[in-house]
Amino acid sequence: MSDKPTVLFVCVHNAGRSQMAAGYLRELGGDRVEVLSAGSAPKDRINPVAVQAMAEEGIDIAGNTPKVLTTEAVRESDVVITMGCGDACPIFPGKRYEDWELDDPAGQGIDAVRPIRDEIRRRIEELLGEILSEAARA
């Protein structure tokens, strides 16, 4: 892992879970990490309920745009976190892969999205501690 690890978050539409995760890692990791997010079948805009849920945390993801998953994005990442995208993500040796099983916020109201957001934050805090420790040892 490099001194400044790159983390890629992937979900199907790149409109909810992966955008919330990327928002948290950018906020909590600051300039210590590079953050990417993408989707295997991206939507045309971010889920407005995900935007609302993150705004409650003081994190603005409203200006983000869903992006299509590319082989290059995976290749340049040290850590790839998938969230329900199945086998759509290419596998490269030497990378850390995790699949986070999280409910999809698509079509759900804010009361259902808050617990998803909170679980993402918990996982991001744990991941950040791990990757920064690994980068410091590298």
Side-chain angles (χ1 to χ4, degrees):
M1 187 169 297
S2 61
D3 291 343
K4 188 172 184 175
T6 300
V7 179
L8 169 63
F9 296 100
V10 183
C11 67
V12 176
H13 300 302
N14 191 222
R17 294 167 288 187
S18 57
Q19 291 287 349
M20 289 191 289
Y24 270 128
L25 189 55
R26 282 187 189 102
E27 181 73 19
L28 300 173
D31 62 358
R32 299 173 294 173
V33 293
E34 291 292 329
V35 182
L36 305 171
S37 71
S40 54
K43 290 282 192 187
D44 58 349
R45 66 185 182 108
I46 305 294
N47 178 336
V49 181
V51 170
Q52 178 185 353
M54 293 302 287
E56 291 177 355
E57 296 283 290
I59 300 172
D60 182 7
I61 62 169
N64 296 1
T65 304
K67 295 172 189 63
V68 69
L69 175 64
T70 64
T71 301
E72 293 77 31
V74 178
R75 187 176 288 126
E76 69 183 66
S77 298
D78 299 297
V79 180
V80 179
I81 307 291
T82 58
M83 303 172 188
C85 66
D87 296 331
C89 192
I91 305 291
F92 290 99
K95 306 209 175 288
R96 174 178 170 176
Y97 290 88
E98 291 185 23
D99 184 52
W100 291 358
E101 289 189 27
L102 297 162
D103 290 337
D104 189 345
Q108 298 197 54
I110 190 67
D111 290 336
V113 173
R114 285 184 184 119
I116 299 167
R117 175 203 63 200
D118 295 346
E119 176 61 13
I120 289 171
R121 181 181 181 120
R122 185 194 69 74
R123 291 179 188 214
I124 290 296
E125 289 171 342
E126 184 177 303
L127 175 71
L128 185 60
E130 291 171 3
I131 63 175
L132 293 179
S133 293
E134 290 171 20
R137 288 193 299 266

mmCIF file of all heavy atoms in Angstrom, residues 28-46:
data_model
loop_
_atom_site.group_PDB
_atom_site.id
_atom_site.type_symbol
_atom_site.label_atom_id
_atom_site.label_comp_id
_atom_site.label_asym_id
_atom_site.label_seq_id
_atom_site.Cartn_x
_atom_site.Cartn_y
_atom_site.Cartn_z
ATOM 1 N N LEU A 28 -13.508 12.225 6.704
ATOM 2 C CA LEU A 28 -12.751 11.724 7.850
ATOM 3 C C LEU A 28 -11.278 11.486 7.535
ATOM 4 O O LEU A 28 -10.432 11.582 8.412
ATOM 5 C CB LEU A 28 -13.386 10.424 8.362
ATOM 6 C CG LEU A 28 -14.845 10.547 8.833
ATOM 7 C CD1 LEU A 28 -15.417 9.179 9.165
ATOM 8 C CD2 LEU A 28 -14.961 11.501 10.015
ATOM 9 N N GLY A 29 -10.984 11.172 6.277
ATOM 10 C CA GLY A 29 -9.604 10.878 5.893
ATOM 11 C C GLY A 29 -8.825 12.091 5.434
ATOM 12 O O GLY A 29 -7.594 12.081 5.445
ATOM 13 N N GLY A 30 -9.545 13.125 5.020
ATOM 14 C CA GLY A 30 -8.879 14.346 4.556
ATOM 15 C C GLY A 30 -7.910 14.060 3.430
ATOM 16 O O GLY A 30 -8.204 13.272 2.527
ATOM 17 N N ASP A 31 -6.736 14.672 3.508
ATOM 18 C CA ASP A 31 -5.749 14.500 2.440
ATOM 19 C C ASP A 31 -4.863 13.271 2.650
ATOM 20 O O ASP A 31 -3.890 13.072 1.927
ATOM 21 C CB ASP A 31 -4.900 15.762 2.282
ATOM 22 C CG ASP A 31 -4.091 16.094 3.527
ATOM 23 O OD1 ASP A 31 -4.206 15.379 4.551
ATOM 24 O OD2 ASP A 31 -3.325 17.077 3.487
ATOM 25 N N ARG A 32 -5.218 12.433 3.619
ATOM 26 C CA ARG A 32 -4.423 11.224 3.876
ATOM 27 C C ARG A 32 -4.803 10.060 2.974
ATOM 28 O O ARG A 32 -4.100 9.058 2.914
ATOM 29 C CB ARG A 32 -4.566 10.790 5.346
ATOM 30 C CG ARG A 32 -4.068 11.850 6.324
ATOM 31 C CD ARG A 32 -4.376 11.472 7.747
ATOM 32 N NE ARG A 32 -5.834 11.462 7.947
ATOM 33 C CZ ARG A 32 -6.435 11.032 9.051
ATOM 34 N NH1 ARG A 32 -5.715 10.566 10.053
ATOM 35 N NH2 ARG A 32 -7.745 11.067 9.158
ATOM 36 N N VAL A 33 -5.928 10.182 2.257
ATOM 37 C CA VAL A 33 -6.391 9.112 1.366
ATOM 38 C C VAL A 33 -6.930 9.710 0.068
ATOM 39 O O VAL A 33 -7.397 10.847 0.046
ATOM 40 C CB VAL A 33 -7.492 8.240 2.014
ATOM 41 C CG1 VAL A 33 -6.963 7.448 3.182
ATOM 42 C CG2 VAL A 33 -8.681 9.081 2.438
ATOM 43 N N GLU A 34 -6.858 8.913 -0.990
ATOM 44 C CA GLU A 34 -7.517 9.245 -2.253
ATOM 45 C C GLU A 34 -8.803 8.430 -2.282
ATOM 46 O O GLU A 34 -8.796 7.244 -1.930
ATOM 47 C CB GLU A 34 -6.642 8.860 -3.450
ATOM 48 C CG GLU A 34 -5.403 9.700 -3.605
ATOM 49 C CD GLU A 34 -5.705 11.147 -3.993
ATOM 50 O OE1 GLU A 34 -6.710 11.387 -4.688
ATOM 51 O OE2 GLU A 34 -4.934 12.027 -3.583
ATOM 52 N N VAL A 35 -9.883 9.040 -2.715
ATOM 53 C CA VAL A 35 -11.186 8.380 -2.692
ATOM 54 C C VAL A 35 -11.793 8.395 -4.088
ATOM 55 O O VAL A 35 -11.868 9.446 -4.729
ATOM 56 C CB VAL A 35 -12.141 9.078 -1.704
ATOM 57 C CG1 VAL A 35 -13.482 8.367 -1.651
ATOM 58 C CG2 VAL A 35 -11.520 9.166 -0.318
ATOM 59 N N LEU A 36 -12.228 7.209 -4.531
ATOM 60 C CA LEU A 36 -12.917 7.050 -5.810
ATOM 61 C C LEU A 36 -14.227 6.323 -5.564
ATOM 62 O O LEU A 36 -14.335 5.544 -4.616
ATOM 63 C CB LEU A 36 -12.061 6.225 -6.781
ATOM 64 C CG LEU A 36 -10.642 6.697 -7.060
ATOM 65 C CD1 LEU A 36 -9.891 5.637 -7.860
ATOM 66 C CD2 LEU A 36 -10.662 8.024 -7.796
ATOM 67 N N SER A 37 -15.201 6.543 -6.430
ATOM 68 C CA SER A 37 -16.424 5.752 -6.369
ATOM 69 C C SER A 37 -16.941 5.570 -7.788
ATOM 70 O O SER A 37 -16.701 6.404 -8.660
ATOM 71 C CB SER A 37 -17.491 6.386 -5.470
ATOM 72 O OG SER A 37 -18.021 7.546 -6.059
ATOM 73 N N ALA A 38 -17.629 4.451 -7.995
ATOM 74 C CA ALA A 38 -18.125 4.129 -9.329
ATOM 75 C C ALA A 38 -19.241 3.107 -9.214
ATOM 76 O O ALA A 38 -19.460 2.524 -8.152
ATOM 77 C CB ALA A 38 -16.994 3.587 -10.201
ATOM 78 N N GLY A 39 -19.919 2.881 -10.337
ATOM 79 C CA GLY A 39 -21.003 1.908 -10.366
ATOM 80 C C GLY A 39 -20.941 1.061 -11.618
ATOM 81 O O GLY A 39 -20.478 1.514 -12.665
ATOM 82 N N SER A 40 -21.426 -0.162 -11.506
ATOM 83 C CA SER A 40 -21.451 -1.057 -12.659
ATOM 84 C C SER A 40 -22.535 -0.642 -13.651
ATOM 85 O O SER A 40 -22.431 -0.907 -14.848
ATOM 86 C CB SER A 40 -21.639 -2.508 -12.207
ATOM 87 O OG SER A 40 -22.782 -2.627 -11.381
ATOM 88 N N ALA A 41 -23.590 0.027 -13.177
ATOM 89 C CA ALA A 41 -24.662 0.553 -14.031
ATOM 90 C C ALA A 41 -25.128 1.876 -13.429
ATOM 91 O O ALA A 41 -26.199 1.966 -12.835
ATOM 92 C CB ALA A 41 -25.815 -0.437 -14.125
ATOM 93 N N PRO A 42 -24.290 2.940 -13.530
ATOM 94 C CA PRO A 42 -24.584 4.187 -12.821
ATOM 95 C C PRO A 42 -25.872 4.867 -13.268
ATOM 96 O O PRO A 42 -26.251 4.813 -14.428
ATOM 97 C CB PRO A 42 -23.371 5.066 -13.125
ATOM 98 C CG PRO A 42 -22.700 4.458 -14.293
ATOM 99 C CD PRO A 42 -23.078 3.009 -14.324
ATOM 100 N N LYS A 43 -26.531 5.474 -12.295
ATOM 101 C CA LYS A 43 -27.718 6.294 -12.552
ATOM 102 C C LYS A 43 -27.276 7.657 -13.088
ATOM 103 O O LYS A 43 -26.080 7.954 -13.157
ATOM 104 C CB LYS A 43 -28.507 6.499 -11.251
ATOM 105 C CG LYS A 43 -29.183 5.257 -10.739
ATOM 106 C CD LYS A 43 -30.432 5.003 -11.525
ATOM 107 C CE LYS A 43 -31.274 3.941 -10.840
ATOM 108 N NZ LYS A 43 -32.405 3.536 -11.627
ATOM 109 N N ASP A 44 -28.233 8.499 -13.392
ATOM 110 C CA ASP A 44 -27.896 9.824 -13.908
ATOM 111 C C ASP A 44 -27.702 10.859 -12.803
ATOM 112 O O ASP A 44 -27.206 11.952 -13.057
ATOM 113 C CB ASP A 44 -28.940 10.302 -14.917
ATOM 114 C CG ASP A 44 -30.340 10.354 -14.343
ATOM 115 O OD1 ASP A 44 -30.558 9.829 -13.232
ATOM 116 O OD2 ASP A 44 -31.236 10.925 -14.993
ATOM 117 N N ARG A 45 -28.096 10.525 -11.560
ATOM 118 C CA ARG A 45 -27.904 11.467 -10.453
ATOM 119 C C ARG A 45 -27.840 10.719 -9.129
ATOM 120 O O ARG A 45 -28.249 9.560 -9.023
ATOM 121 C CB ARG A 45 -29.012 12.506 -10.426
ATOM 122 C CG ARG A 45 -30.378 11.932 -10.117
ATOM 123 C CD ARG A 45 -31.466 13.005 -10.233
ATOM 124 N NE ARG A 45 -32.755 12.442 -9.882
ATOM 125 C CZ ARG A 45 -33.428 12.707 -8.764
ATOM 126 N NH1 ARG A 45 -32.947 13.546 -7.891
ATOM 127 N NH2 ARG A 45 -34.589 12.135 -8.514
ATOM 128 N N ILE A 46 -27.351 11.425 -8.113
ATOM 129 C CA ILE A 46 -27.253 10.875 -6.766
ATOM 130 C C ILE A 46 -28.656 10.770 -6.168
ATOM 131 O O ILE A 46 -29.501 11.641 -6.385
ATOM 132 C CB ILE A 46 -26.372 11.783 -5.868
ATOM 133 C CG1 ILE A 46 -24.994 11.998 -6.491
ATOM 134 C CG2 ILE A 46 -26.248 11.197 -4.454
ATOM 135 C CD1 ILE A 46 -24.136 10.772 -6.591
#
